[in-house]
Amino acid sequence: MSNVDLNLIRTFITLYELRSVTLAAEQLYVTQPSVSYALSRLRELFNDRLFVRSKEGMEPTAAAEQLYRELHGSLTQIETTLEGARSFDPSSSNKRFTLAMTDLGEMALFPRIFRRLQREAPNVELEVLPLEIDKVAEWMSTGRIDAVICSRPLPGRDINRQVILQDRYVCIMNGKTAPDQLSMDEFLARKHLVVSRSLGHGLAEEVLADLGLQRKVSLVLPHFSILPTVLGETDLLAIVPLEIAELFAEMHAEGAALKICPLPFEVPAIDVALYWSERSERSPALTWMRQLIIAALGVEGSGASGSES
């Protein structure tokens, strides 16, 4: 055990997260036989099957579950320490970064981030994961992701944040059926389109609950991207951040025009922020990536502040 190859541990963690030899090989940039050979060595090393084939993929055993909890954070800490001892040259690096964000962020913010990334680090790889607000704190603490862009505060004393934009929620609907002014009675009488709260946009719903009000929800979607098409073909109403509402309205300016209305009740403004683990500040590569995102989005200042715990 004293001479365990770190690559074996990387293979184990990748297999655990992807549950597929094929996908693990692709992510590790090795052949499938190499992953299979590494798995056989791991099984011999830990005296356990570790993974069992099923219809869903490679299912971890109880021993593998325990090993993952113990090894993942340790490997991340080792790699961060080693990386901190090296300089980082973005122009020649082929490092892979992982960022979690909603499809709203992908539409409104990601193009600016990726354009700058391509200009400064053409060989760097960036993976964008769909945001699951209930999981991101764990993902960050275990090193599954390098950073998060979202509008809801993430818990944890070791998580830092930088506000990248401020926004407010508005209503958006089909312009053909929209009233001149949206009253509370009209708001409650209309049928609503809601996007999954797992994406972190449930603040308006919480305010309505505090007011003792409940809206008529006719459709729940897992993503925001199809929302303008649905609104253009129905009389449904949706609540979205103003910046994305303006983008949706512009996209459909020549078709079924969408109308933006203020909410008929008060909802606090929202801070969209970049979050990262305090531990990652020891990594020159991750520090550079954060600074690139902040610069790409034109954020004034670059200081970090502790997240709400």
Side-chain angles (χ1 to χ4, degrees):
M1 290 288 290
S2 59
N3 295 317
V4 176
D5 186 347
L6 284 181
N7 287 323
L8 282 180
I9 306 303
R10 290 190 188 97
T11 300
F12 168 76
I13 289 170
T14 305
L15 266 175
Y16 182 93
E17 292 175 345
L18 300 180
R19 311 295 167 96
S20 166
V21 171
T22 301
L23 295 177
E26 290 177 0
Q27 182 159 314
L28 293 168
Y29 299 101
V30 298
T31 63
Q32 291 185 39
S34 296
V35 174
S36 297
Y37 175 69
L39 178 56
S40 66
R41 290 185 60 193
L42 286 162
R43 284 168 167 165
E44 180 179 350
L45 182 66
F46 294 109
N47 194 30
D48 187 86
R49 296 181 67 186
L50 298 179
F51 299 95
V52 180
R53 292 190 182 276
S54 71
K55 292 181 180 179
E56 288 73 32
M58 302 289 285
E59 291 296 321
T61 64
E65 297 275 6
Q66 180 65 29
L67 282 170
Y68 180 81
R69 288 193 292 269
E70 295 176 356
L71 293 176
H72 192 231
S74 298
L75 180 63
T76 300
Q77 192 167 14
I78 291 171
E79 290 183 327
T80 300
T81 300
L82 292 174
E83 190 176 308
R86 300 191 297 264
S87 60
F88 177 72
D89 180 7
S91 64
S92 61
S93 175
N94 58 2
K95 181 175 174 60
R96 181 186 187 130
F97 296 95
T98 307
L99 176 67
M101 61 196 311
T102 66
D103 57 336
L104 281 188
E106 292 175 22
M107 288 184 282
L109 306 178
F110 184 72
R112 284 180 275 170
I113 296 171
F114 193 65
R115 280 196 297 270
R116 192 170 186 117
L117 181 68
Q118 287 286 282
R119 186 169 67 247
E120 296 189 16
N123 298 316
V124 157
E125 181 179 349
L126 178 60
E127 179 183 9
V128 179
L129 296 181
L131 176 67
E132 294 183 54
I133 197 67
D134 295 333
K135 297 181 179 179
V136 290
E138 178 188 350
W139 288 351
M140 203 178 306
S141 66
T142 60
R144 175 73 179 88
I145 55 177
D146 298 317
V148 181
I149 294 177
C150 68
S151 61
R152 299 303 297 268
L154 299 183
R157 287 174 293 182
D158 62 341
I159 295 178
N160 290 335
R161 71 195 287 262
Q162 167 72 36
V163 175
I164 54 179
L165 68 90
Q166 292 183 314
D167 208 344
R168 59 187 173 89
Y169 285 112
V170 296
C171 293
I172 185 168
M173 67 199 88
N174 191 320
K176 294 179 180 179
T177 63
D180 292 334
Q181 286 189 324
L182 185 64
S183 66
M184 179 61 85
D185 288 341
E186 176 73 15
F187 174 87
L188 294 174
R190 278 181 170 264
K191 295 180 179 179
H192 290 241
L193 183 164
V194 176
V195 180
S196 172
R197 289 170 62 91
S198 68
L199 299 181
H201 286 277
L203 182 58
E205 197 74 35
E206 293 169 9
V207 172
L208 284 171
D210 290 340
L211 294 173
L213 301 173
Q214 187 172 2
R215 51 183 170 156
K216 300 175 182 177
V217 176
S218 292
L219 178 62
V220 179
L221 295 175
H223 304 293
F224 285 94
S225 54
I226 196 175
L227 185 147
T229 301
V230 175
L231 293 178
E233 298 177 357
T234 67
D235 60 354
L236 298 179
L237 179 154
I239 298 174
V240 298
L242 175 60
E243 181 164 328
I244 204 69
E246 292 175 337
L247 177 60
F248 285 163
E250 183 180 342
M251 289 167 55
H252 283 250
E254 298 179 0
L258 301 179
K259 182 176 180 179
I260 301 170
C261 296
L263 286 169
F265 56 96
E266 291 294 325
V267 175
I270 50 176
D271 288 337
V272 180
L274 173 69
Y275 291 87
W276 66 92
S277 169
E278 187 174 287
R279 184 180 61 248
S280 71
E281 294 188 349
R282 297 194 294 269
S283 165
L286 296 180
T287 298
W288 170 84
M289 185 62 189
R290 290 193 303 272
Q291 293 172 345
L292 178 136
I293 292 172
I294 291 169
L297 299 178
V299 182
E300 292 294 333
S302 58
S305 62
S307 170
E308 297 88 346
S309 58

